[in-house]
Amino acid sequence: MPARLPALALLPLGALALAGGLSAQPANQSREASRAPAAGTVKPVAPPAPAPAAPPAVISRKQELQVTLSADGKTVYVVGMILEGSFHKFDAVLRSAPDVRVVHLSSAGGYTIEARLMAALVRKRKLDTYVEFYCASACTQVFVAGRQRVIGPLGQIGFHQAVQVGDRGMAGKVRPRTYRKLTQTTVFGVNGNDTLRLAYELADVDPAFIDKALTYGHENMWLPPAKELLEARVITRQA
C-alpha cells in the first residue's frame, strides 16, 4: 500500500464526502481526485459477504475496493474505495462472470482514472447499475455508465469536483475544466473534472445538472434528491 494513502483521512470531511473525489494519473504525473428494484434486469439478490449492511456513514475511507460475485453469477458487488488496482479487480471478476447483469455499488469514491476504466467495462458489457445506500465522487462515473441506473429508497448519489493530490496525499488545487475534446476511450493525461463531465455527458445527463455538480468543492458534497436525479437523467428509476 503506498505510503500516501493513509493521508486521505486528512481531507476535510463534509456531508459524507469520505475522501471521495481523488483520482490517479500515471506514476510520473500528479494525482487528481475526484430496496430491491422492480422486476426486470435490475434485480439484486441477497448479497454475499462482504456486502453493504449499513448506511454509508460507516464505510471506511481506508477500505480498499472489494469486488464479489453473487451466488447466481448475475450481480457484482463493488464495495469500498476505488484505489490503485481497483480496475483490475473489477475486470478479473467480470471476465469470470459471463452472466453478470447488474453492478451493485457502495463507494465513497477514489481515483478517477480507475473509475473511468471501470465505467468503460460497464458500458462495454451493457450492464445495469444499482445503489442501495451511497455512491459518490469517482463512483458516479461507474454508476452513470449503467444502461439502467437505479437507486434504492435510501440511495444517495454524491457529486463534487475532482482535486489534485500530491505524492504525500495532501489535497491540492482544483484544475478548472478545459475544452479538450474527449472520447470514452481517452484514459491518460486527462483533467479529472473533464473526466467527470465526460462520464455524465455519455450518460446524457442534463447539461445544467452537470454544471452544477462540478461547482461543489472537494470538501463538500452535493446529494440531490431522487426527483432531481430522475429529472436530470442521472437515474432511470428509484426502486
Side-chain angles (χ1 to χ4, degrees), residues 58-236:
V58 302
I59 296 174
S60 171
R61 287 173 286 174
K62 298 180 181 180
Q63 180 183 356
E64 290 190 53
L65 200 73
Q66 299 177 57
V67 185
T68 55
L69 187 63
S70 64
D72 64 1
K74 294 183 179 180
T75 302
V76 169
Y77 295 91
V78 178
V79 182
M81 296 298 294
I82 301 173
L83 304 175
E84 291 182 28
S86 293
F87 162 73
H88 292 296
K89 292 180 182 180
F90 187 57
D91 182 47
V93 172
L94 287 184
R95 286 176 181 270
S96 69
D99 296 329
V100 165
R101 295 292 178 268
V102 181
V103 179
H104 190 301
L105 296 160
S106 182
S107 173
Y111 296 157
T112 60
I113 191 171
E114 297 282 342
R116 186 187 317 145
L117 295 170
M118 292 168 66
L121 291 181
V122 173
R123 283 192 294 267
K124 180 179 179 180
R125 293 279 295 266
K126 296 181 173 60
L127 302 177
D128 298 329
T129 50
Y130 178 76
V131 171
E132 181 78 9
F133 292 119
Y134 194 64
C135 172
S137 191
C139 177
T140 62
Q141 293 180 95
V142 186
F143 177 73
V144 299
R147 185 182 57 172
Q148 297 294 320
R149 305 181 291 272
V150 181
I151 62 173
L154 301 179
Q156 292 183 308
I157 309 296
F159 301 87
H160 68 170
Q161 298 171 337
V163 62
Q164 287 183 318
V165 177
D167 291 338
R168 297 181 180 180
M170 298 297 292
K173 66 179 181 180
V174 173
R175 292 171 62 190
R177 66 168 294 193
T178 69
Y179 292 91
R180 176 182 175 187
K181 182 66 175 177
L182 302 177
T183 70
Q184 60 182 302
T185 58
T186 305
V187 176
F188 297 109
V190 181
N191 180 325
N193 288 303
D194 287 347
T195 292
L196 294 174
R197 180 178 293 276
L198 175 63
Y200 306 148
E201 289 176 345
L202 288 172
D204 193 33
V205 174
D206 179 70
F209 182 97
I210 297 175
D211 288 339
K212 182 177 179 180
L214 295 180
T215 63
Y216 284 77
H218 73 277
E219 74 287 350
N220 199 359
M221 185 70 72
W222 181 36
L223 299 168
K227 182 177 183 294
E228 189 167 0
L229 293 172
L230 187 61
E231 291 174 347
R233 299 185 295 277
V234 175
I235 66 174
T236 56

Side-chain angles (χ1 to χ4, degrees), residues 6-13 61 168-170:
L8 291 173
L10 299 178
L11 291 177
L13 179 61
R61 287 173 286 174
R168 297 181 180 180
M170 298 297 292

